[in-house]
Amino acid sequence: MTERKRTPWVVGVSGASGTPYAASVIRGLLAAGESVDLVVSRASRLTLLDETGIAFRDAHWREDLREWLARGADGKPGTFQVPDGDVRYWAAGDLAAGPSSGSYPVKGMLIVPASTACVAGVALGLSKDLLQRVASVTLKERRRLVVAVRETPLNGQTLKHLVALDEAGAVVLPASPAFYAGATHIQDLVDFVAGRVLDAAGVPHRLYRRWEGELGGSRPREASGD
């Protein structure tokens, strides 16, 4: 393998609804010049097929990823120009993959979206697939782990798992869009959550309008009449 210019972020995509969140995060990382190691769980392939119509294939992951990243949150193809960048893909069943070892250099891991099954597996240290294994490695190596849980309502057992992740050093980031940024389209709400994930990772971006202390500042100004 060729030597990479930057230490990568691992992006793990679980089977929860919300694949547009993952696409926005990956676009944001690439736009910031970051390198990405991508892990797409088996369950997330079904969700991706359901939400976008894209069948994500190991043998054709580059083409499928580019098509996915080019789509908007409304499913419209060709909405985005996909930034060029350094992406390396690892199959979810490959437990011998680079990121499965603590000696493999990564900046941290972003799980987006994170299902409750994924949350439970990581909290309990099950490592049943590469996504969960990398998350466990991230925690044991004291690297940044951001878990964008996407589920509602949350039962008591899941809440206990989320507390366990918080106590282990992870950032628990519910996929909860806000409205103060002046959203006018579903993509704006998706980008807000993706932006908060990147904020937690310390990656600069311009995905949403930040709060500046002005009430109503996000609303369009009415044209003044004579």
Side-chain angles (χ1 to χ4, degrees):
M1 292 185 180
T2 58
E3 186 175 353
R4 306 172 84 172
K5 294 182 179 179
R6 288 200 175 196
T7 302
W9 286 94
V10 179
V11 176
V13 187
S14 81
S17 176
T19 55
Y21 291 131
S24 183
V25 166
I26 296 169
R27 285 194 301 266
L29 288 169
L30 296 179
E34 299 286 345
S35 296
V36 174
D37 275 23
L38 178 63
V39 180
V40 179
S41 76
R42 290 189 176 93
S44 69
R45 294 175 187 236
L46 296 176
T47 307
L48 184 62
L49 180 63
D50 181 58
E51 294 183 346
T52 69
I54 297 172
F56 198 89
R57 302 160 294 176
D58 286 346
H60 302 280
W61 70 267
R62 292 185 187 277
E63 303 96 297
D64 296 339
L65 176 63
R66 181 163 289 274
E67 182 183 357
W68 176 22
L69 298 185
R71 292 189 181 231
D74 58 2
K76 183 179 178 180
T79 299
F80 294 99
Q81 183 176 355
V82 182
D84 292 327
D86 174 18
V87 181
R88 186 174 291 172
Y89 170 73
W90 303 94
D94 184 6
L95 292 177
S100 68
S101 171
S103 66
Y104 182 90
V106 301
K107 291 183 177 179
M109 183 180 192
L110 315 175
I111 306 179
V112 53
S115 66
T116 54
C118 173
V119 166
V122 176
L124 297 173
L126 298 182
S127 296
K128 72 169 188 176
D129 62 7
L130 182 61
L131 194 157
Q132 292 184 13
R133 170 60 186 170
V134 177
S136 295
V137 169
T138 302
L139 289 175
K140 81 179 182 67
E141 296 294 327
R142 301 297 190 265
R143 295 166 180 161
R144 180 59 57 96
L145 174 64
V146 182
V147 181
V149 60
R150 215 306 305 160
E151 185 60 272
T152 189
L154 297 172
N155 64 31
Q157 199 60 48
T158 297
L159 291 171
K160 291 176 182 177
H161 291 151
L162 292 173
V163 169
L165 289 179
D166 176 78
E167 291 175 343
V171 176
V172 176
L173 195 153
S176 301
F179 295 85
Y180 63 76
T184 59
H185 189 275
I186 186 175
Q187 188 66 54
D188 299 325
L189 298 175
V190 167
D191 286 345
F192 178 88
V193 172
R196 294 299 288 152
V197 171
L198 295 178
D199 287 345
V203 176
H205 66 87
R206 300 182 67 180
L207 286 175
Y208 69 89
R209 177 189 178 277
R210 297 185 181 278
W211 176 251
E212 296 177 350
E214 180 185 358
L215 292 176
S218 64
R219 293 197 297 269
R221 302 296 184 184
E222 296 181 1
S224 58
D226 293 333

